[in-house]
Amino acid sequence: MENLIKRVLVSDHAMKIIDQLRERHDELMFHQSGGCCDGSSPMCFPKGELMLNENDVKLGTIHGCDFFMSKDQFEYWKHTQLTVDVTTGRGASFSLEIPLGLRFVIKSRLYTDGEREHLAPVQPAEEV
């Protein structure tokens, strides 16, 4: 089977923060909406805490955590590979890393023509 190009990746630094959060909160999930609060910043929640519906898609899994995005936001980002990273600073959201004085951020790059032909499929959230 051919190797599919992942739609979402995670930095080493973000993996360390995810590990810390997992110790406190058990299984985790990510969601990126593009709505209020931190706008399009990825937010980390205990798995199952955020209600997903037909307006969300699963882009993949990062460091053992499902990563979801609203369909509307995905339309803007579908041409880019996303990398979840972390930076110092307090965000204005309900994401679990905020009390640590950190916030998850997205870095992105456009797919190459060759990569676009081999992208991992997205999955409707209600099928997860």
Side-chain angles (χ1 to χ4, degrees):
M1 181 176 172
E2 66 184 285
N3 291 329
L4 296 176
I5 304 299
K6 292 182 179 182
R7 292 183 178 270
V8 62
L9 306 173
V10 62
S11 73
D12 290 341
H13 190 200
M15 282 193 278
K16 291 176 185 174
I17 302 307
I18 290 168
D19 287 340
Q20 288 180 27
L21 295 173
R22 192 178 283 127
E23 286 179 20
R24 293 185 194 176
H25 303 281
D26 202 23
E27 292 184 82
L28 305 172
M29 64 181 285
F30 280 84
H31 188 272
Q32 183 171 334
S33 68
C36 68
C37 300
D38 271 351
S40 61
S41 293
M43 292 193 273
C44 182
F45 301 101
K47 185 176 182 175
E49 182 174 294
L50 181 68
M51 297 301 292
L52 302 170
N53 60 36
E54 68 278 354
N55 295 315
D56 298 297
V57 293
K58 179 181 173 185
L59 272 60
T61 302
I62 56 167
H63 200 48
C65 307
D66 291 338
F67 187 98
F68 298 91
M69 182 179 281
S70 69
K71 284 182 182 178
D72 291 343
Q73 186 72 359
F74 178 68
E75 281 302 309
Y76 291 109
W77 293 72
K78 67 183 176 184
H79 306 291
T80 62
Q81 185 175 56
L82 309 177
T83 300
V84 176
D85 202 359
V86 68
T87 189
T88 304
R90 183 168 169 81
S93 75
F94 302 104
S95 192
L96 294 174
E97 80 283 1
I98 299 302
L100 300 175
L102 302 169
R103 55 184 277 183
F104 289 112
V105 294
I106 288 290
K107 296 180 178 180
S108 64
R109 69 167 186 87
L110 291 173
Y111 294 116
T112 66
D113 290 339
E115 287 174 328
R116 277 194 289 275
E117 296 174 14
H118 302 286
L119 291 175
V122 296
Q123 183 179 8
E126 65 266 19
E127 293 179 10
V128 176

